[in-house]
Amino acid sequence: GDGAPAGNYGYSSSGYSVYEEENDRLTESLRTKVSAIKSLSIEIGTEVKNQNKMLSEMENDFDSTGGLLGATMGRLRTLSRGSQTKLLCYMMLFSLFVFFVIYWIIKLR
């Protein structure tokens, strides 16, 4: 009578060991994947912070460019009230030149 339970106990213990090893292997695989996801999420967070900083700087640049363009347009309106069409034409060309230079500078950043 004692031989049969001992044999069954040995069989289930080896089966348990196989399941335990499989469980350990899967746990280690899961741990590796979680670690990779953690490092990836940290890198994404860093990239988001850098992109937000760059967007903030671009917003400041566009605000200053808008102010400059607004002042130039105000001067052009003042000039357009007079009869100096040649000077007005030169001012328009100059403002377009300045606009394209600023656009080019922003584009290179």
Side-chain angles (χ1 to χ4, degrees):
D2 287 336
N8 286 341
Y9 180 75
Y11 177 75
S12 43
S13 134
S14 69
Y16 179 74
S17 175
V18 169
Y19 289 131
E20 189 174 347
E21 288 174 11
E22 179 71 14
N23 192 21
D24 288 343
R25 186 182 62 76
L26 291 173
T27 302
E28 187 59 37
S29 172
L30 183 62
R31 184 176 295 130
T32 303
K33 290 176 184 175
V34 167
S35 176
I37 289 173
K38 179 182 176 184
S39 65
L40 185 62
S41 66
I42 289 171
E43 289 176 18
I44 289 172
T46 303
E47 184 65 25
V48 166
K49 286 178 186 176
N50 289 338
Q51 293 292 329
N52 282 339
K53 181 181 174 186
M54 189 183 308
L55 283 173
S56 175
E57 290 172 358
M58 283 180 62
E59 182 181 3
N60 292 338
D61 290 343
F62 282 130
D63 285 344
S64 65
T65 303
L68 178 66
L69 191 58
T72 303
M73 291 305 289
R75 290 184 191 119
L76 284 175
R77 273 189 233 113
T78 303
L79 285 175
S80 69
R81 292 184 188 134
S83 62
Q84 302 167 344
T85 56
K86 188 183 266 189
L87 185 58
L88 176 64
C89 184
Y90 288 137
M91 287 299 294
M92 290 280 271
L93 290 174
F94 177 75
S95 63
L96 283 174
F97 173 76
V98 169
F99 177 77
F100 282 118
V101 167
I102 291 172
Y103 176 77
W104 182 67
I105 289 171
I106 290 174
K107 199 72 164 161
L108 287 179
R109 286 181 105 194

